[in-house]
């Protein structure tokens, strides 16, 4: 149980374009979803926390207008990287927590901006 | 959120028991301790969670002393496939939606 999926697993885009990443909780209702970013050889960095139906809470230093988060249902959250640039290339990971309040992570999305 | 301190790396051999200790001196009353495992280019996988004393599941054991200022993840009889980064996290699952802040983690290398 507690499976989280992400789509796509890998995406390559041109600089200046926007990319949407989907995160789904497959067998539980994720009242809270989290988005992380991980650069090579580094730990996960929390970007934002979102509760279903509410606006996301962003961590200090994360631009909310650049990283748009939508958590419209208890099983789906999306992260849109707007006007992506090469420095946005990273591994993006989502996590969901539900009734048990333990975070379960998705497999991650590798974003490469050319 | 309480900060955690773990060894940066550890080496072990197949079949050995591995104990990874995490220090969390500023743990709050409502905080739980959670351990995750991460392989390269994958999301972290939940291993075990506890509040006090000892917790055991089919994968690992978690030992938490009475003062809760540290915890030890015990992996019995490791294999090559246990080579990964292990993260110790402390947080209140009932506050801020269970927000967690990841530290550096421990890179475990299991050798044949």
């Amino acid at each position: 149980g507690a499976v989280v999926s992400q789509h796509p697993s890998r995406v390559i885009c041109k600089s200046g374009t926007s990319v949407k990443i989907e995160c789904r909780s497959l067998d539980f209702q994720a009242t809270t979803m989290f988005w992380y970013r991980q650069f090579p050889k580094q730990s996960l960095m929390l970007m934002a926390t979102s509760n279903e139906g509410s606006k996301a809470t962003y961590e200090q230093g994360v631009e909310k207008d650049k990283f748009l988060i939508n958590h419209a249902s208890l099983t789906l959250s999306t992260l849109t990287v707007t006007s992506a640039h090469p420095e946005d290339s990273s591994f993006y990971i989502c996590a969901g927590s539900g009734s048990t309040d333990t975070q379960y992570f998705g497999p991650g999305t590798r974003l490469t901006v050319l | 959120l309480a900060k955690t301190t773990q060894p940066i790396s550890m080496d072990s051999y197949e079949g050995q028991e591995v104990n990874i200790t995490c220090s969390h001196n500023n743990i709050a009353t409502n905080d739980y301790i959670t351990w995750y495992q991460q392989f390269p280019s994958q999301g972290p996988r939940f291993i075990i969670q506890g509040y006090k004393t000892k917790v055991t599941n089919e994968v690992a054991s978690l030992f938490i002393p009475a003062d809760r200022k540290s915890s030890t993840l015990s992996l019995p009889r490791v294999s090559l496939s246990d080579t990964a980064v292990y993260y110790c996290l402390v947080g209140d699952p009932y506050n801020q939606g269970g927000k967690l802040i990841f530290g550096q983690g421990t890179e475990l290398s299991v050798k044949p």
Side-chain angles (χ1 to χ4, degrees):
Chain A
V3 179
V4 175
S5 70
Q6 280 184 242
H7 178 79
S9 58
R10 188 179 291 267
V11 58
I12 301 172
C13 70
K14 293 182 179 179
S15 184
T17 60
S18 295
V19 174
K20 180 184 283 188
I21 302 170
E22 289 188 351
C23 175
R24 293 181 185 274
S25 56
L26 300 184
D27 54 359
F28 70 103
Q29 293 186 322
T31 51
T32 306
M33 282 195 173
F34 305 84
W35 286 94
Y36 296 83
R37 182 167 54 179
Q38 186 175 33
F39 293 107
K41 297 295 184 182
Q42 293 187 23
S43 184
L44 284 77
M45 184 188 78
L46 180 65
M47 299 175 68
T49 303
S50 73
N51 292 302
E52 185 260 340
S54 303
K55 288 185 178 179
T57 301
Y58 290 80
E59 294 299 303
Q60 192 172 9
V62 178
E63 301 174 57
K64 63 179 182 180
D65 294 330
K66 181 169 183 62
F67 299 99
L68 302 178
I69 292 171
N70 184 282
H71 189 175
S73 78
L74 288 172
T75 59
L76 174 64
S77 176
T78 60
L79 167 68
T80 301
V81 182
T82 62
S83 187
H85 291 285
E87 57 266 29
D88 298 322
S89 298
S90 188
F91 191 51
Y92 291 86
I93 311 170
C94 71
S97 67
S99 59
T100 64
D101 297 302
T102 299
Q103 285 192 37
Y104 294 96
F105 288 80
T109 296
R110 175 75 59 192
L111 170 63
T112 303
V113 185
L114 303 177
Chain B
L1 291 170
K3 180 181 177 181
T4 60
T5 304
Q6 306 172 231
I8 293 176
S9 64
M10 291 181 69
D11 291 332
S12 183
Y13 291 93
E14 279 190 293
Q16 288 187 334
E17 177 184 79
V18 171
N19 296 308
I20 306 174
T21 297
C22 178
S23 173
H24 29 79
N25 291 318
N26 296 324
I27 189 168
T29 302
N30 295 331
D31 285 343
Y32 281 68
I33 301 155
T34 311
W35 285 79
Y36 289 88
Q37 174 193 55
Q38 186 183 29
F39 297 111
S41 297
Q42 294 186 29
R45 182 176 77 102
F46 172 83
I47 301 175
I48 198 165
Q49 184 181 69
Y51 183 80
K52 63 180 180 181
T53 62
K54 177 183 175 182
V55 180
T56 297
N57 61 22
E58 63 277 9
V59 178
S61 293
L62 178 60
F63 299 92
I64 306 168
D67 65 5
R68 303 199 328 121
K69 293 184 182 298
S70 67
S71 59
T72 299
L73 174 72
S74 181
L75 304 172
R77 296 180 298 281
V78 295
S79 63
L80 296 176
S81 61
D82 293 316
T83 293
V85 178
Y86 292 81
Y87 292 100
C88 161
L89 295 110
V90 171
D92 182 352
Y94 304 103
N95 184 30
Q96 294 184 287
K99 176 177 173 178
L100 298 173
I101 301 297
F102 278 75
Q104 289 286 81
T106 298
E107 188 167 5
L108 173 65
S109 177
V110 180
K111 302 174 183 178

